[in-house]
Amino acid sequence: MATATASTPKALPGKVPGPKGRFLLGSLIEVSGDWLGFYNRCAEEYGDVVRVHLAHVPVYLLAHPRDIETVLAANAANFTKSADYRALARVLGKGLLTSEGDFWKRQRSLIQPAFHRQNILAYATVMTRAAGRMLDSWPEKCERNIHQDLMRVTLEIVAQCLFGAEVADAAERVGKAMEVVTERFIANASLAMLFRFDIPVFLARGEWRAIRELNDIIGGIIRKRSSSDQPREDLLDMLLRARDADGNPMSGEQVRDEAMTLFLAGHETTAIALSWACYLIAQDPRIEAKLAEELQEVLGGRVPTPEDLPRLRYTEMVLKETMRLYPAVWGIGRRALRDCEFGGYRVPAGSNIFILQWRTQRDPRFFPDPERFDPERWREDPVRSGKIPRFAYFPFGGGPRVCVGASFAMMEATLLLAMIQQRFHLETVEGHPIELFAGASQETWLKQTSSGAR
Ligand code: HEM
């Protein structure tokens, strides 16, 4: 097997293949019209390493797990986050998602312990209570935009896990401001990739207002908390109490950046995964019935607890398969710090690299009949058993920068999916087609009927 390394390039056959693109614009128009379709077509036509021009900026698309492993894990030190993360840094400052180098390393070591499986179990009750309130508010037979409901409940959950009760009054304002910020993210990320400078403030006034609003609310909570010595059982308390190897705490600004990061990274992704899971289950009565059988057997109608998680195997398989077909984070960008080689092609230092869960997780070389939603693929996990390469499936990324909230997200998604399916039968609503949108969110309209039969 040819291995890709980020060391000195060997003899290389020639130019990286890819679409020629238009004069000056390259493939910008095609990409912005349909990111996922365009990148898919590129991989089909040109293979595992493709060079695309977005105006004057070359971007290398990598589709093979071997190359993805090189970038994310084996040679992670040779890559930094791509320029598009600058758009996020405007909101998140130097939080975990947007920082680099030793600074990131220190922050990661301070925050990671709070997300160890053992430490997040306490949040299960916050999750099931919030889900219970959402489900109690659903009438027996109704049509709803379930994605909106799920966005609301995951926001409420992350807010409570972070700030305890203090954010309750502000949750709606925070939600709205977050929406403005995430809606602008794709546009801002593209601009950050194309230009080395930030767009002037007046062009994005609404966004700056939203950032100010978030700073006011979150800054206020942090200030209030810092001056209180009452211990709390939430993530903010953990951020305030964390000390590095020299016994130093995080600065106030750093706590703010990390709280904002966890807030932003911690709800929309989980809501997207759950929306798609509900949609896919609604398409397949056999899968719905199998899930119902497991839920009845394990829970018998009661609210799930963390102790039930190991026995909710099929629920977890449904979620894993959902995240294969519809990864909430559909691509990851990096920039090469040194010349590197992928699949026999030289990629120069400074290049933008883009890897796509969307593409690789639908690759027939690793997933037979890849478009089919089949949770059974995960009965005997093909990654764990070594049947497919480790980086053929990476919804949470991988290597040192793997999602710090992965266990939190899986626990939340499993508990919520179990509760929704326990109490409701869902169908898609005519006149509200589900459209794929490669942004930070998408709409999911589902009709739900409470199912007395279960
Ligand atoms: C289904 C839900 C989720 C998905 C699919 C997801 C996906 C990801 C991915 C792919 C990355 C890596 C990005 C990169 O390498 O550039 C990431 C990083 C991160 N995620 Fe998640 N995530 C989810 C939920 C969460 C939750 C619930 C939290 C926190 C409460 C969270 C916090 C973070 C943070 C802080 C990082 C940055 C880690 C670092 O760079 O050290 N995520 N996530």
Side-chain angles (χ1 to χ4, degrees), residues 81 85 96-97 104 108 115 261-262 265-266 269-270 323 328-329 332 334 357 395-397 401-405 408-409:
K81 295 224 160 171
Y85 276 88
L96 211 51
L97 203 58
W104 164 79
R108 178 96 190 191
F115 283 95
T261 297
L262 295 174
T269 40
T270 313
M323 289 192 291
V329 174
I332 295 179
R334 291 288 188 268
Q357 287 91 326
F396 292 105
R401 301 209 68 149
V402 69
C403 176
V404 81
F408 182 102

Side-chain angles (χ1 to χ4, degrees), residues 177-215:
M178 283 283 177
E179 223 171 88
V180 174
V181 167
T182 45
E183 257 170 26
R184 298 262 334 147
F185 177 63
I186 285 283
N188 287 344
S190 317
L191 288 170
M193 185 83 101
L194 296 180
F195 303 111
R196 287 181 183 273
F197 52 87
D198 279 336
I199 52 162
V201 176
F202 66 85
L203 290 181
R205 216 179 272 159
E207 187 191 352
W208 283 99
R209 250 201 313 271
I211 295 174
R212 247 198 332 267
E213 170 104 328
L214 287 171
N215 281 340

Side-chain angles (χ1 to χ4, degrees), residues 3 19 46 50 66 94 127 140 183 230 236 266 283 297 313 338 346 355-356 376-378 385 405 417 424 428 436 438:
T3 50
Y46 303 103
V50 181
R66 159 200 77 207
K94 283 169 82 180
M127 294 169 180
E140 216 164 87
E183 257 170 26
Q230 222 183 351
L236 178 60
Q283 306 300 301
E297 196 185 306
R313 276 278 331 272
R338 300 192 204 142
R346 177 178 170 273
I355 52 190
L356 284 109
E376 289 301 326
R377 291 179 207 275
W378 301 99
S385 65
L417 186 62
F424 287 91
T428 47
L436 189 64

